[in-house]
């Protein structure tokens, strides 16, 4: 991979023209990327992935790791080329100059955050919480969980970010516990290595391929998050140089942890047990040779899924606020709470959508919806890299080999397609979310037209 020699001097885009404070250095950015990726995906959907593929649970995570790296390479080139805080929507607009397509991409990103937060809410209300109490119905707990996060988001960004730092450290600790249990099992000769090569699908090869694709499509949910980091471009020191290293290290570290956790899970627990649990890693702790308190791990897992949900509620509400300020969505969605300076209407709007999602979906379906929406966005981003190759900028930046975005676009489209054996309700759920967005977009157009004519 090479740097583009399209210019010898730094352009304003690579300089200090941003009104935001550049406070994020290389190490902090790496930690941000890792913290953004780790979370609900591995804590909640490991069992559902196992149910699709069988004991070879590690394989979908390896494939997902490769697909994530391909798309990460495209994001790295684009954020180096256009170091602005707008992400996929910015790249789509620059490449295709179709405002409606740009809106759809931005709304898909927002909805992916909501479906991710909803999956986290479902995970929170499942077996992890069941270690402490099962008095309240899971759906009610999930709704109350979303409302609590909305209240925190309304309180202020400072409180939310501080909470995020603490919860990130906690969720990393939980995964390290799983890896320690796995290391102990290997050294003690425990576990069942033969399970690592078992596939649920038997018979025809197409059934095996379909099951692996379906498991990979769902497992990809665990890798989403790195794309959020490009929105920090204007608050990062020397983003053109900092982002390539940070994103690649972040994806590599999390991908390695995921594959190792998948290996440990399959080694110690039968895939059918994992499939039936909404807290699959808790089953690993209980089956491990180390005497680690299940309740303590359940508490760690609850913190981990809370972190993922909080990040996504914040991201979705800010995207909604930004689109309202750009007059893409109705201006009312951009209203701010006077004292707290938080986007109150945006937070209420995304909270209502999230409540609708947790009331009608389970962990696997909501996680798969998140993955589907972002796979569609990633396909557009991979194509945008190729389209924008003709757009020269006045500074050097990372340039990914052409083959990588081509492979990235193809793999994303395959995993987003019906070839991945995705349930129909995932497409319906995504369609309903997009219909809500298109309806608001159309309403906003009519209001703006009426005002202009008046």
């Amino acid at each position: 991979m090479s740097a583009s020699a399209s210019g010898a001097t730094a352009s304003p885009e690579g300089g200090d023209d941003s009104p935001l404070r550049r406070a994020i250095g290389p190490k902090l950015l790496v930690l941000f990327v890792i913290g953004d990726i780790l979370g609900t995906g591995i804590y909640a959907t490991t069992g559902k992935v196992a149910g699709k593929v069988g004991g070879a649970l590690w394989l979908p995570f390896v494939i997902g790791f490769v697909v994530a790296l391909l798309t990460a390479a495209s994001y790295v080139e684009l954020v180096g080329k256009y170091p602005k805080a707008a992400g996929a929507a910015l790249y789509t607009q620059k490449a295709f100059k179709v405002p409606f397509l740009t809106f759809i991409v931005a709304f898909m990103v927002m909805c992916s955050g909501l479906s991710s937060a909803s999956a986290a809410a479902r995970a929170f209300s499942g077996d992890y919480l069941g270690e402490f109490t099962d008095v309240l119905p899971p759906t009610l707990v999930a709704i109350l969980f979303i409302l609590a996060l909305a209240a925190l988001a309304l309180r202020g960004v400072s409180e939310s970010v501080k909470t995020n730092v603490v919860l990130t450290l906690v969720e990393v600790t939980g995964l390290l516990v799983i890896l320690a249990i796995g290391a102990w099992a290997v050294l003690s000769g425990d576990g069942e290595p033969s399970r690592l090569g078992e596939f649920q699908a038997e018979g025809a090869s197409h059934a095996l391929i379909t099951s692996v694709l379906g498991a990979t499509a769902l497992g990809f949910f665990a890798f989403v998050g790195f794309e959020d980091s490009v929105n920090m471009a204007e608050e990062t020191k020397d983003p053109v140089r900092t982002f390539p290293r940070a994103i690649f290290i972040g994806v590599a570290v999390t991908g390695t942890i995921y594959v190792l956790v998948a290996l440990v899970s399959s080694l110690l627990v039968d895939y059918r047990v994992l499939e039936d649990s909404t807290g699959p890693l808790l089953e690993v702790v209980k089956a491990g040779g180390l005497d680690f308190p299940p309740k303590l791990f359940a508490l760690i897992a609850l913190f981990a899924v809370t972190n993922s949900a909080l990040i996504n509620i914040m991201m979705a509400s800010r995207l909604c606020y930004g689109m309202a300020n750009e007059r893409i969505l109705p201006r009312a969605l951009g209203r701010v709470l006077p004292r707290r300076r938080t986007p109150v209407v945006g937070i209420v709007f995304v909270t209502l959508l999230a409540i609708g999602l947790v009331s009608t979906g389970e962990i696997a379906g909501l996680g798969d919806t998140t993955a589907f929406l972002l796979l569609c966005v990633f396909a557009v981003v991979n194509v945008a890299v190729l389209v924008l190759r003709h757009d020269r900028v006045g500074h050097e930046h990372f340039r990914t080999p052409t083959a990588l975005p081509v492979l990235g676009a193809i793999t994303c489209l395959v995993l987003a397609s019906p070839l991945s054996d995705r349930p129909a309700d995932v497409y319906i759920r995504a369609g309903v979310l997009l219909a809500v967005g298109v309806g608001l977009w159309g309403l906003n157009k009519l209001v703006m037209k009426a005002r202009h004519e008046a």
Side-chain angles (χ1 to χ4, degrees), residues 314-326:
M314 287 177 59
M315 180 273 289
S317 63
R318 266 62 182 180
L319 262 176
C320 184
Y321 165 79
M323 285 188 282
N325 281 344
E326 292 295 323

Side-chain angles (χ1 to χ4, degrees), residues 159-173:
E159 290 82 354
S160 300
V161 171
K162 289 174 182 176
T163 303
N164 167 250
V165 171
V166 175
L167 296 180
T168 294
L169 294 175
V170 173
E171 67 186 2
V172 171
T173 301

Side-chain angles (χ1 to χ4, degrees), residues 94-302:
K94 281 188 172 291
F96 306 107
K97 296 179 174 56
V98 179
F100 182 70
L101 176 61
T102 302
F103 164 73
I104 290 294
V105 167
F107 202 80
M108 275 187 160
V109 172
M110 189 193 85
C111 290
S112 73
L114 294 180
S115 56
S116 178
S118 301
R122 276 294 185 178
F124 185 94
S125 65
D127 290 341
Y128 291 127
L129 184 63
E131 282 293 304
F132 302 96
T133 180
D134 57 358
V135 175
L136 295 175
T139 300
L140 177 59
V141 171
I143 292 173
L144 293 174
F145 175 78
I146 291 292
L147 291 174
L149 292 181
L152 180 58
L154 279 171
R155 183 167 177 79
V157 69
S158 175
E159 290 82 354
S160 300
V161 171
K162 289 174 182 176
T163 303
N164 167 250
V165 171
V166 175
L167 296 180
T168 294
L169 294 175
V170 173
E171 67 186 2
V172 171
T173 301
L175 296 177
L176 292 178
V177 167
I178 296 295
L179 297 184
I181 288 173
W184 178 263
V186 171
L187 293 173
S188 304
D190 295 333
E192 189 57 58
S194 63
R195 276 201 291 259
L196 301 179
E198 291 178 354
F199 290 90
Q200 185 195 34
E202 298 178 356
S205 59
H206 73 272
L208 177 60
I209 293 173
T210 299
S211 68
V212 172
L213 284 176
T216 302
L218 176 56
F220 194 77
F221 172 44
F223 288 95
V224 301
F226 67 85
E227 74 285 352
D228 287 342
S229 67
V230 300
N231 290 307
M232 308 303 291
E234 293 184 48
E235 295 164 270
T236 301
K237 299 174 184 176
D238 195 4
V240 176
R241 293 180 181 272
T242 304
F243 266 94
R245 182 181 177 85
I247 290 183
F248 284 131
I249 289 177
V251 174
V253 168
T254 52
T256 301
I257 291 174
Y258 285 168
V259 172
L260 291 174
V261 168
L263 285 168
V264 170
S265 300
S266 189
L267 184 71
L268 294 177
V269 184
D270 184 86
Y271 77 88
R272 286 171 283 264
V273 176
L274 292 172
E275 181 184 13
D276 291 338
S277 176
T278 56
L281 298 190
L282 186 60
E283 303 298 333
V284 177
V285 171
K286 292 178 178 179
L290 287 178
D291 189 20
F292 193 88
K295 285 186 182 298
L296 177 56
F297 185 83
L299 185 62
I300 291 173
L302 290 174

Side-chain angles (χ1 to χ4, degrees), residues 43-65:
Y43 276 95
T45 59
T46 302
K48 307 309 176 187
V49 174
K52 286 178 174 287
V53 74
L57 174 58
W58 54 274
L59 182 58
F61 287 100
V62 169
I63 299 173
F65 179 29

